[in-house]
Amino acid sequence: MSDDLIRYDILTQDALRRVIRKVLEEVQRTGLPGEHHFFITFSTAYPGVRLSTRMLERYPDEMTIVIQHSFWNLEVTDTAFEIDLSFDDIRERLRIPFESIRGFFDPSVKFGLQFDVAPVPAQVAPVQVEPEIAPLPAALPRTETGKKTEAAVSAVTRSRGGEDKPADDKTAETGAEVVSLDSFRKKK
């Protein structure tokens, strides 16, 4: 068997990350359609990731966020996205390069992607910033369906080796199949 000099595995991952970028660009323009919402897992130690010091201390390896009810200022570029989320009633600005994403899941349609993330060089550290401490409004706005939105992002956060901590049972994953690119690779 010959070596894959074209590196189809890398090309496939790049193409699938562009799918995530296009989805987030659409959400930036028009908001979340229907019942769609996203679990996004990323490497917190990846170069270009921007987190507050307190979040990096809590999640030194990996973190999963949920983009659903409470998020602000989503900005998408060719290489990353930035978003404001609330953690423990503290608003934080996160910058997440697409290359740092390990997983993407939309439970409303049971669609998921899983990625390999290149190891982080030891000399490169993620950017640490202090959170914007802004109290959230006491009276929460209601969504179009009349449901009260959450003060904190309905988030599942995960630290490598730790347990998932869903904000509530409604946001827990539904057991849909996540496609791993490893299943398409030929074993040597």
Side-chain angles (χ1 to χ4, degrees):
M1 183 187 317
S2 64
D3 291 333
D4 179 4
L5 301 177
I6 294 175
R7 294 302 310 258
Y8 288 109
D9 56 335
I10 293 172
L11 294 172
T12 302
Q13 285 198 36
D14 288 345
L16 292 173
R17 282 190 171 99
R18 283 194 302 272
V19 169
I20 297 170
R21 186 185 82 217
K22 289 198 176 290
V23 167
L24 292 177
E25 286 172 341
E26 186 64 26
V27 170
Q28 177 183 342
R29 275 191 301 279
T30 63
L32 282 167
E35 296 297 315
H36 288 279
H37 57 287
F38 315 122
F39 290 76
I40 300 176
T41 302
F42 63 98
S43 170
T44 57
Y46 197 84
V49 168
R50 187 172 61 217
L51 292 173
S52 69
T53 303
R54 82 180 185 107
M55 295 306 290
L56 194 54
E57 287 171 357
R58 282 178 71 182
Y59 307 101
D61 297 319
E62 181 176 277
M63 181 176 176
T64 298
I65 60 170
V66 174
I67 299 175
Q68 188 171 14
H69 298 297
S70 300
F71 65 92
W72 306 268
N73 304 320
L74 175 61
E75 295 177 23
V76 182
T77 68
D78 288 343
T79 59
F81 70 96
E82 293 190 33
I83 190 167
D84 290 353
L85 298 172
S86 176
F87 299 94
D88 300 323
D89 293 329
I90 298 173
R91 195 162 168 171
E92 306 248 2
R93 181 83 174 157
L94 284 73
R95 181 181 187 279
I96 303 169
F98 292 112
E99 298 243 332
S100 72
I101 295 176
R102 291 184 170 160
F104 176 88
F105 182 62
D106 182 345
S108 70
V109 292
K110 298 183 180 178
F111 175 79
L113 299 169
Q114 190 171 7
F115 300 96
D116 296 327
V117 175
V120 179
Q123 70 273 18
V124 178
V127 178
Q128 298 177 14
V129 294
E130 291 311 311
E132 172 187 330
I133 300 176
L136 296 174
L140 298 174
R142 298 191 179 271
T143 62
E144 295 127 24
T145 59
K147 296 179 191 170
K148 196 171 186 182
T149 60
E150 300 172 29
V153 65
S154 19
V156 173
T157 53
R158 178 184 309 143
S159 178
R160 184 171 294 234
E163 294 182 14
D164 289 349
K165 301 173 212 161
D168 59 40
D169 291 338
K170 293 179 220 163
T171 61
E173 295 183 28
T174 58
E177 182 180 344
V178 175
V179 179
S180 172
L181 293 177
D182 288 336
S183 63
F184 297 102
R185 292 196 181 117
K186 292 185 179 179
K187 308 287 187 227
K188 289 186 178 183

